[in-house]
């Protein structure tokens, strides 16, 4: 399991960040521990979203509880989580798994 700690949160995932350089691999699920709660989310790169739409010949892309990043990196994920925390928007983008 991979852990990444922020100032008042922890991100973890069961697999390492996708670093194959292949656009088809640029998505992953993660967990967030914040404020006594655990959330689940999915990250997609913008390129991966377009790849998936083209692969399925779709005109739209729908994914609940997701964050879209220009690039797949822990810094980009941490920045997005910190903004969601600052704006009190965690519940809009991630799904609550458990609370203590």
């Amino acid at each position: 399991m991979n852990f990444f700690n922020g100032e008042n949160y922890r991100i973890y995932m069961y697999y390492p960040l996708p670093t194959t350089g292949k656009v088809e691999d640029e998505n992953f699920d993660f967990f967030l521990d914040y404020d006594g709660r655990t959330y689940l989310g999915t990250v997609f790169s913008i390129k991966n979203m377009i790849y998936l739409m083209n692969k399925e010949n779709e005109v739209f892309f729908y994914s609940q509880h997701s964050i879209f990043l220009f690039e797949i990196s822990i810094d980009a994920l941490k920045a997005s989580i910190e903004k969601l925390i600052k704006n009190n928007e965690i519940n809009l983008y991630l799904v609550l798994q458990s609370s203590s």
Side-chain angles (χ1 to χ4, degrees):
M1 193 172 308
N2 298 290
F3 296 94
F4 305 96
N5 294 314
E7 187 174 318
N8 58 350
Y9 64 89
R10 179 176 70 158
I11 298 168
Y12 58 100
M13 48 198 113
Y14 290 102
Y15 303 99
L17 281 175
T19 57
T20 64
K22 297 178 182 177
V23 71
E24 60 266 25
D25 295 334
E26 292 184 352
N27 62 69
F28 61 92
D29 297 322
F30 70 96
F31 295 91
L32 170 70
D33 287 341
Y34 170 70
D35 198 27
R37 296 179 178 99
T38 300
Y39 298 88
L40 170 66
T42 301
V43 170
F44 295 90
S45 72
I46 299 297
K47 290 178 187 177
N48 182 254
M49 178 187 65
I50 293 168
Y51 165 81
L52 293 171
M53 289 173 63
N54 287 332
K55 180 180 173 187
E56 299 299 325
N57 198 27
E58 293 290 348
V59 295
F60 71 96
F61 187 87
Y62 173 76
S63 179
Q64 285 186 309
H65 316 299
S66 297
I67 297 173
F68 297 89
L69 302 174
F70 280 111
E71 64 179 39
I72 296 296
S73 72
I74 194 57
D75 290 336
L77 178 57
K78 287 172 79 171
S80 67
I81 294 299
E82 289 167 8
K83 187 167 186 175
L84 293 177
I85 289 171
K86 178 182 175 189
N87 294 337
N88 198 29
E89 296 178 329
I90 293 290
N91 290 313
L92 296 177
Y93 296 94
L94 306 179
V95 62
L96 180 65
Q97 295 292 294
S98 65
S99 60
S100 53

